[in-house]
Amino acid sequence: MNTPAHRVTPGRVLRSEWHKLWTLRSTWITLLTASALTLGIGLLMGATYTTGGGDGDVDTVLLVLIGIQFAQIALAVLGILVTAGEYSTGMIRASLTAVPRRLPVLWSKAAVFGAVTFALTLVTAFVTFLTAQLFLSGTDQAASLGDPGVVRALTGSAAALTLLGLIALGLGALLRSVPGAVGAFVGGVMILPEVFAMLPYDIVGDAVEYFPSKSVEVLVSAQTVPGAASPGAALLALVLWAAASLAAAGLLLERRDV
């Protein structure tokens, strides 16, 4: 029986996962890579943009945050490493021995990863937008935080990247393999919707609009995306995808041996 000094509590499990996340070199590398890609590509788009160049009809937020297409891969890899990485090193045995109920370990990993990812991507989105606008001032892509949909899109981009990362985290726990989970994420989340979109069936096309990659596009756009889901529906779809991934991982975590 655990004494009060050594009792497993939600706060202690969270603290443990926080410590493990920040002591990994991969955490710093992937977070800095995701932030640098978003900011660097956003500044490049702003610095090289000229009115009349053919991109005047592109959503302003989507234009300056185009780098999140690459950042989402880096953050997905981090999410996978948070779970599958422990299986590759064998640390998962120590984690589940310390927390025999198992599920608190998964929920704590998801909570810590989600909080860190959302905070970083939110700051990066606002900094990228505001800095890129220094170059876009006077062009047809000039915008401000007060314009309709801009703050929602910037916040939505952070939510979208966080939820994509949580989907990847769940896949890592499900497959227990870093290469396997990365392949499943790239194939299932990024490639499969594009394949389905080419099928000549309206019901399939309607369903694809609620797949993760399509939902991200809606959330990052300040303007309404024609023929796509509403921002609220897109956010709900992403939440449900992330919840399904984590729920499946939790179910198997309880049923399988370490």
Side-chain angles (χ1 to χ4, degrees):
M1 181 175 180
N2 289 333
T3 62
H6 300 89
R7 182 176 298 136
V8 176
T9 64
R12 288 172 176 170
V13 180
L14 280 169
R15 192 180 308 118
S16 172
E17 294 304 327
W18 176 270
H19 178 72
K20 283 192 287 185
L21 181 67
W22 287 111
T23 53
L24 291 174
R25 183 182 303 173
S26 57
T27 299
W28 296 95
I29 293 174
T30 50
L31 288 178
L32 289 174
T33 298
S35 185
L37 284 171
T38 303
L39 179 59
I41 296 176
L43 294 183
L44 180 63
M45 296 300 292
T48 59
Y49 182 84
T50 55
T51 299
D55 293 327
D57 58 343
V58 177
D59 186 274
T60 301
V61 177
L62 191 60
L63 177 71
V64 300
L65 294 185
I66 194 69
I68 68 171
Q69 295 184 20
F70 303 99
Q72 68 183 17
I73 299 176
L75 293 172
V77 169
L78 177 59
I80 290 167
L81 289 173
V82 167
T83 49
E86 284 205 23
Y87 284 96
S88 64
T89 62
M91 184 180 289
I92 191 65
R93 294 185 179 88
S95 297
L96 298 183
T97 298
V99 188
R101 292 178 60 191
R102 295 192 173 194
L103 285 182
V105 174
L106 179 62
W107 307 147
S108 295
K109 288 181 182 296
V112 169
F113 172 82
V116 170
T117 302
F118 183 76
L120 175 76
T121 53
L122 184 64
V123 171
T124 301
F126 274 87
V127 170
T128 301
F129 176 81
L130 292 173
T131 309
Q133 284 300 322
L134 297 177
F135 298 99
L136 294 172
S137 178
T139 70
D140 57 359
Q141 287 288 0
S144 69
L145 294 178
D147 289 347
V150 169
V151 171
R152 176 191 56 75
L154 294 174
T155 306
S157 70
L161 288 175
T162 301
L163 291 167
L164 282 178
L166 288 173
I167 293 172
L169 186 147
L171 287 175
L174 275 170
L175 300 178
R176 300 183 174 189
S177 165
V178 173
V182 171
F185 181 85
V186 173
V189 175
M190 303 179 68
I191 297 177
L192 193 60
E194 301 302 324
V195 175
F196 282 167
M198 293 186 292
L199 297 178
Y201 303 106
D202 291 340
I203 189 172
V204 175
D206 293 340
V208 167
E209 295 301 329
Y210 297 94
F211 276 38
S213 60
K214 297 298 183 181
S215 296
V216 171
E217 182 180 349
V218 171
L219 291 175
V220 182
S221 299
Q223 302 172 4
T224 302
V225 179
S230 66
L235 178 60
L236 178 59
L238 268 179
V239 169
L240 292 176
W241 280 106
S245 177
L246 293 172
L251 180 63
L252 291 184
L253 182 64
E254 285 198 313
R255 293 175 177 268
R256 295 188 301 195
D257 292 332
V258 177

